[in-house]
């Protein structure tokens, strides 16, 4: 356990600078998006009131309240608001591969050191896995606390007659990428991120296959993905999308959860086996 | 310890923020409503649900589907995808009860209308059309009939399957009702022609349980169509209720916005048009058959304010008409929703524009036997919560 | 003692090692010699479990487990620390993970090799990098040290500094396996030679015996073997 914590800390620090950069970028761009959006709405409201000779109340009666989600639809604000989210997703996806390859391919062969540390190699695996997860959850948490901040900004720019606060919960529930990243219910959070973690485990397994068998490993990866596709098709074969399926929903869901456990567990076991016995520097 | 700062800070930040968020989110549930009796017989609303929309004024996205029973409210969108697919409806349905009793037999059987049940057996008739389509429009299409029979005493199952040929333009077949006559399962099936226009064509399928012989007989309804040409439009509705044993089927056919009604004898397949002489206007009303009676629901008794409703009954045997119910108190001008269950009418509407109420009338006696109201269990916001609930459907577990 | 029994390693279609067996005892410096591509580095990596192989490696009669990485350490020919670290960070990393890290000795070696703990790994020259690598291995209180080409591409002065290490008490009681293709500098330091050719051990001998009994230097034996 102590070795795991040390390795986790080691892995975290290796990417901390870029990660903090991503966080700062997200905060800056999202707050800018809301500021620009709120001002844009204020201008257009003023303009409408001037042209039509409306009072604030008349304007509000005609157009309804402006809310936080309105900000994203002002000009290119969607790009400004969601851009850093997609950038972060991309960077973390790339780093999920790079977190292994940098040990081999970097200027220095750090993998020599990591694989010969006097601790179980599983610690290394879990340190890398948890590093990626902590980075992901850190950004998710950042997004959650950004919303109240963004609300404050919008509130300070727009007059109370025009603007109505919505709850963080309602805002994140709005069907955008945010609804997937911060699903409205905890059970869905567990389900989505459970699937995400399974995906990450599968990716790590593929990387370790390549690192163990090199060119031959690529053939193995194709085979492995074919097996996964076969397993993933079981719910379809059970007729999960058919109204009159022979199997009951509970059985199909049970099979799906079982499959996730089999895929995640099997891949995890195989990864650790590769790391222990087959990995090649 | 300083060197663990980044990790520790990120870990605490993520866990606390996400944890707090979901702890708070779980508090943010819409109000809990209960179907509460104002007067009458509570047993009439056991195992039923009323559906509606909760519309919160504070939130842009606060329109939420709500299923309300006497026990409380289910918000299907508030549940995860998994629990949604496990409990589609808020109450235990007939299908649920059968699944509990006959789990193996009930596999893949989801059409409530396809069942026939008596003390000895549970039968299921299903029809599926082959999705393969040939290029030759005169060719017939293959369809599969499958009949499953469960002997309740012996707990053994009999399966009969048969291929039948149907017209090339048939896209689907739906079993509407199943009856048992002299060891023969008799099923009313609608074949939908949808390659050109849309014509729903009723047929009777008979399954001899002794010889296992299957016959299908098209019904030639006078004035109705059995093939579809371009622009044709014919909808058929079976006015009989699901799962009730009957010896007469009542069909309501609406062709090019013109309505006709037929009585079909289950035993012989004999068809007699129902013209309702002198009462032809009834054809435009909502029709429901139970026992030897057909009930017509007429909205707006008082034309002046569009208020109230009446139920007229027609006796198939005595051929007599009777106004069994006339109500001028309940405004049905908007958000009317109703459902028949045997000789009871469940109806919902505003009363004096305040609060959603459910009424149950006995159609034989014409009496109001139940009045209930959807009440928020939170005393503090009761009035506001109730104003935010908009009911629109009564689920009597018939489909 | 490190025992290598029937080690076989295949890369693609090429059998790099085809049944290599030898021993390396504590207190001795064993030199693996072979021309380029003879599989010297592969033997060291296999001993350390850094590449899969067929055969058996016993360290003090036991198979390698993670705990043994405190008993046996590997000094490869490239740096094993991330390049953005400072040397001080490297030392604290080692202290963090190895219970047998000898901080005092690390300080001494730092002075001896004239390395500054403030330097970043990325800024080190080839010679300094080799010294840091050596430092990280030698400051561990372990029984066995495997060194892969410690002299490759290193200037004369650094080479002298490193050779001095071999005669010091830093090495004295330990078992060392070293690979090299430049035998001249260390010929006088090594106790035992294992000559690899065509994936096999061509000869395994103690230098002193060959010198005394056959009157030959290691280079002479090498010439005999590789000119055949």
């Amino acid at each position: 356990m102590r070795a795991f914590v040390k390795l986790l800390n080691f892995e975290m620090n290796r990417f901390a600078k870029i990660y903090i950069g991503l966080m700062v970028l997200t905060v800056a761009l999202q707050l800018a998006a809301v500021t620009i959006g709120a001002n844009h709405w204020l201008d257009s409201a003023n303009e409408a009131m001037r042209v039509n000779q409306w009072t604030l109340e008349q304007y509000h009666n005609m157009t309804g309240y402006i809310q936080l989600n309105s900000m994203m639809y002002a000009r290119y604000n969607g790009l400004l608001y969601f851009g850093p989210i997609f950038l972060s997703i991309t960077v973390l996806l790339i780093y999920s591969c790079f977190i292994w390859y940098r040990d081999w391919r970097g200027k220095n062969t750090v993998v020599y050191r990591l694989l010969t540390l006097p601790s179980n190699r599983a610690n290394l695996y879990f340190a890398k896995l948890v590093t990626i997860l902590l980075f992901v959850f850190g950004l998710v948490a950042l997004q959650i606390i950004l919303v109240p901040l963004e609300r404050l900004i919008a509130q300070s720019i727009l007059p109370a007659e025009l603007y109505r606060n919505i709850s963080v919960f309602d805002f994140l529930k709005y069907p955008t990428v945010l609804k997937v990243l911060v699903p409205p219910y905890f059970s869905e959070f567990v389900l989505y991120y459970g699937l995400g973690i399974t995906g990450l485990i599968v990716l790590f397994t593929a990387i370790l296959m390549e690192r163990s068998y090199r060119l031959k490993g690529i053939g193995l990866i194709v085979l492995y993905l074919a097996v996964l596709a076969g397993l993933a098709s079981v719910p379809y074969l059970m007729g999960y999308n058919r109204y009159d399926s022979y199997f009951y929903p509970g059985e199909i869901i049970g099979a799906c959860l079982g499959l996730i456990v089999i895929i995640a567990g099997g891949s995890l076991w195989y990864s650790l086996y590769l790391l222990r016995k087959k990995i090649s520097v | 310890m300083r060197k663990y700062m980044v990790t520790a800070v990120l870990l605490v930040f993520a866990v606390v923020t996400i944890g707090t968020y979901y702890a708070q989110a779980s508090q943010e549930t819409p109000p809990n409503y209960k179907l509460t009796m104002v007067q009458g017989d509570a047993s009439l609303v056991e195992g039923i649900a009323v559906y509606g929309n909760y519309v919160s004024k504070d939130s842009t996205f606060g329109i939420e589907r709500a299923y309300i029973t006497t026990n409380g409210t289910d918000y299907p969108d508030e549940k995860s995808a998994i629990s949604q697919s496990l409990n589609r409806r808020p109450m235990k349905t007939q299908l649920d009860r059968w699944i509990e009793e006959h789990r193996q037999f009930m596999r893949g059987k989801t059409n409530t209308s396809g069942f026939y049940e008596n003390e000895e057996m549970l039968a299921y008739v299903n029809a599926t059309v082959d999705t393969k389509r040939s290029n030759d429009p005169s060719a017939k299409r293959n369809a599969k009939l499958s009949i499953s029979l469960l002997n309740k005493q012996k707990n053994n199952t009999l399966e009969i399957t048969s291929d039948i040929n149907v017209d090339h333009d048939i896209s689907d077949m739906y079993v509407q009702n199943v009856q048992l006559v002299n060891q023969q399962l008799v099923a009313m099936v609608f074949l939908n022609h949808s390659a050109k226009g849309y014509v729903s064509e009723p047929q009777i399928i008979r399954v001899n349980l002794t010889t296992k012989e299957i016959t299908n007989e098209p019904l030639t309804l006078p004035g109705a169509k059995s093939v579809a040409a371009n622009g044709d439009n014919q909808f058929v509705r079976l006015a009989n209720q699901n799962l009730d044993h009957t010896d007469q089927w009542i069909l309501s056919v609406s062709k090019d916005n013109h309505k006709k009604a037929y009585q079909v004898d289950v035993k012989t397949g004999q068809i007699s048009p129902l013209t309702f002489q002198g009462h032809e206007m009834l054809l435009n009303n909502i029709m429901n058959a139970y026992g030897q009676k057909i009930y017509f629901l007429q909205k707006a008794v008082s034309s002046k304010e569009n208020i109230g409703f009446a139920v007229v009954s027609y006796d198939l045997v005595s051929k007599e008409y009777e106004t069994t119910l006339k109500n001028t108190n309940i405004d049905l001008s908007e958000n009317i929703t109703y459902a028949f269950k045997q000789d009871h009418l469940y109806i919902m509407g505003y009363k004096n524009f305040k609060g959603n109420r459910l009424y149950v009338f006995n159609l034989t006696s014409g009496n109001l036997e139940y009045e209930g109201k959807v009440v928020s269990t939170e005393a503090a916001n009761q009035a506001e919560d109730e104003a935010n609930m908009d009911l629109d459907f009564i689920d009597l577990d018939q489909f | 003692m490190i025992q290598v029994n029937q080690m076989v390693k295949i890369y693609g279609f090429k059998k790099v090692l085809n049944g290599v067996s030898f021993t390396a005892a504590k207190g001795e410096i064993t030199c693996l010699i072979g021309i380029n591509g003879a599989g010297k580095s592969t033997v060291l990596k296999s001993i350390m479990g850094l590449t899969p192989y067929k055969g058996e490696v016993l360290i003090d009669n036991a198979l390698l487990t993670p705990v043994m990485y405190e008993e046996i350490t590997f000094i490869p020919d490239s740096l094993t620390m991330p390049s953005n670290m400072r040397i001080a960070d490297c030392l604290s990393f080692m202290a963090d993970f190895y219970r047998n890290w000898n901080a005092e000795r690390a300080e001494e070696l730092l002075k001896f090799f004239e390395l500054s703990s403030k330097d970043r790994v990325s800024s080190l020259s080839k010679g300094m990098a080799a010294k840091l690598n050596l430092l990280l291995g030698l400051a561990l209180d372990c029984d066995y040290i495997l060194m892969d080409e410690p002299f490759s591409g290193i200037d004369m002065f650094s080479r002298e500094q490193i050779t001095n290490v071999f005669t010091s008490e830093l090495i004295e009681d330990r078992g060392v396996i070293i690979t090299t293709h430049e035998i001249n500098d260390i010929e006088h330091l090594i106790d035992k030679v294992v000559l690899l050719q065509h994936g096999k051990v061509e000869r395994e001998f103690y230098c002193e015996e060959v010198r005394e009994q056959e009157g030959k230097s290691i280079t002479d034996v090498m010439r005999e073997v590789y000119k055949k």
Side-chain angles (χ1 to χ4, degrees), chain A residues 9 67 174 183 185 248 251, chain B residues 7 22 60-61 78 103 107:
Chain A
N9 194 54
Q67 293 182 322
Y174 195 69
Y185 308 105
Y248 292 116
E251 294 170 340
Chain B
T7 312
Y22 281 108
T60 357
F61 327 113
E78 295 278 297
R103 190 171 172 87
R107 286 186 179 280

Side-chain angles (χ1 to χ4, degrees), chain C residues 87-187:
Chain C
I87 289 181
D89 299 331
C90 297
L91 301 191
S92 82
F93 176 94
M94 295 298 284
D96 234 14
F97 282 95
Y98 292 88
R99 281 173 304 169
N100 56 340
W101 177 252
N102 189 329
E104 246 172 70
R105 194 188 297 152
E107 283 301 321
E108 280 171 28
L109 281 165
L110 210 55
K111 278 189 203 130
F112 177 75
F113 285 136
E114 291 158 342
L115 293 167
S116 160
S117 62
K118 283 179 193 148
D119 281 348
R120 280 199 191 273
V121 169
S122 54
S123 70
L124 299 180
S125 69
K126 191 125 200 217
M128 279 153 86
K131 288 184 216 166
L132 174 62
N133 241 359
L134 211 56
L135 183 157
L136 296 178
L138 293 175
L140 286 170
D141 287 330
C142 61
D143 295 339
Y144 300 99
I145 301 175
L146 311 186
M147 294 185 205
D148 195 13
E149 303 280 1
F151 302 104
S152 72
I154 288 172
D155 64 80
M156 198 178 75
F157 301 107
S158 300
R159 200 178 285 209
E160 270 175 19
Q161 261 183 331
I162 293 174
T163 13
N164 285 341
V165 167
F166 283 86
T167 50
S168 70
E169 94 279 13
L170 282 169
I171 292 292
E172 221 161 63
D173 297 327
R174 313 201 206 191
V176 177
I177 302 180
I178 182 168
T179 71
T180 186
H181 53 270
E182 295 162 61
I183 191 71
N184 298 334
D185 287 329
I186 52 163
E187 186 162 352

Side-chain angles (χ1 to χ4, degrees), chain B residues 7-66:
Chain B
T7 312
V9 166
L10 193 65
L11 180 71
V12 171
F13 170 62
V15 170
V16 169
T17 310
I18 296 174
T20 313
Y21 174 71
Y22 281 108
Q24 270 181 3
S26 71
Q27 303 292 311
E28 275 201 39
T29 49
N32 184 36
Y33 297 90
K34 276 183 181 174
L35 180 58
T36 315
M37 190 167 80
V38 177
Q39 54 167 313
D41 174 7
S43 68
L44 285 167
V45 293
E46 269 170 27
I48 76 149
V50 289
Y51 297 177
N53 293 316
Y54 170 72
V55 190
S56 156
K57 290 196 178 65
D58 286 337
S59 162
T60 357
F61 327 113
I63 299 171
E64 290 213 54
R65 196 78 184 134

Side-chain angles (χ1 to χ4, degrees), chain A residues 22-39:
Chain A
L22 272 180
M23 282 184 141
V24 170
L25 191 74
T26 306
V27 173
L29 290 186
Q30 285 203 354
L31 296 188
V34 173
T35 313
I36 294 169
N39 278 311

Side-chain angles (χ1 to χ4, degrees), chain A residues 231 234-235 238 247-262:
Chain A
L231 286 177
V234 168
M238 287 176 83
F247 294 98
Y248 292 116
E251 294 170 340
I252 296 176
I253 290 165
C256 287
L257 294 179
L259 278 174
I260 293 174
V261 170
I262 289 172

Side-chain angles (χ1 to χ4, degrees), chain B residues 302-366:
Chain B
S302 156
S303 59
K304 204 168 148 199
E305 285 178 19
N306 206 21
I307 276 177
F309 65 91
V311 175
V312 175
S313 74
Y314 171 72
D315 193 306
L316 288 167
V317 179
S318 67
K319 307 211 182 315
E320 276 175 10
Y321 297 88
E322 189 192 353
T323 302
T324 57
L325 182 63
K326 193 165 197 159
N327 191 300
T328 49
N329 292 329
I330 301 168
D331 173 31
L332 297 177
S333 54
E334 41 183 330
N335 281 41
I336 170 178
T337 175
Y338 61 87
F340 287 94
K341 190 176 190 182
Q342 300 181 332
D343 59 344
H344 283 86
L345 172 67
Y346 290 66
I347 196 158
M348 252 177 348
Y350 291 101
K351 186 180 189 182
N352 306 326
F353 300 98
K354 211 176 165 192
N356 286 311
R357 281 169 196 253
L358 172 71
Y359 302 90
V360 185
F361 292 97
N362 184 318
L363 295 178
T364 312
S365 66

Side-chain angles (χ1 to χ4, degrees), chain B residues 97-156:
Chain B
R97 283 188 287 271
W98 279 329
I99 288 170
E100 267 174 29
E101 282 174 52
H102 318 292
R103 190 171 172 87
Q104 271 320 105
F105 177 78
M106 287 299 290
R107 286 186 179 280
K109 300 180 174 66
T110 48
N111 174 19
T112 312
S113 311
F115 287 94
Y116 177 86
E117 187 184 32
N118 62 21
E119 282 180 4
E120 288 96 48
M121 68 161 157
L122 180 59
Y124 185 69
V125 180
N126 194 35
T128 46
V129 182
D130 207 336
T131 46
K132 264 183 279 172
R133 218 180 248 273
S134 101
N135 291 323
D136 176 11
S138 66
K140 291 280 183 183
R141 246 176 134 178
N142 198 33
K144 187 170 242 108
L145 273 175
S146 53
I147 294 97
S148 312
L149 217 65
L150 174 76
N151 185 321
K152 287 187 187 170
Q153 266 100 40
K154 294 180 187 157
N155 200 24
N156 59 12

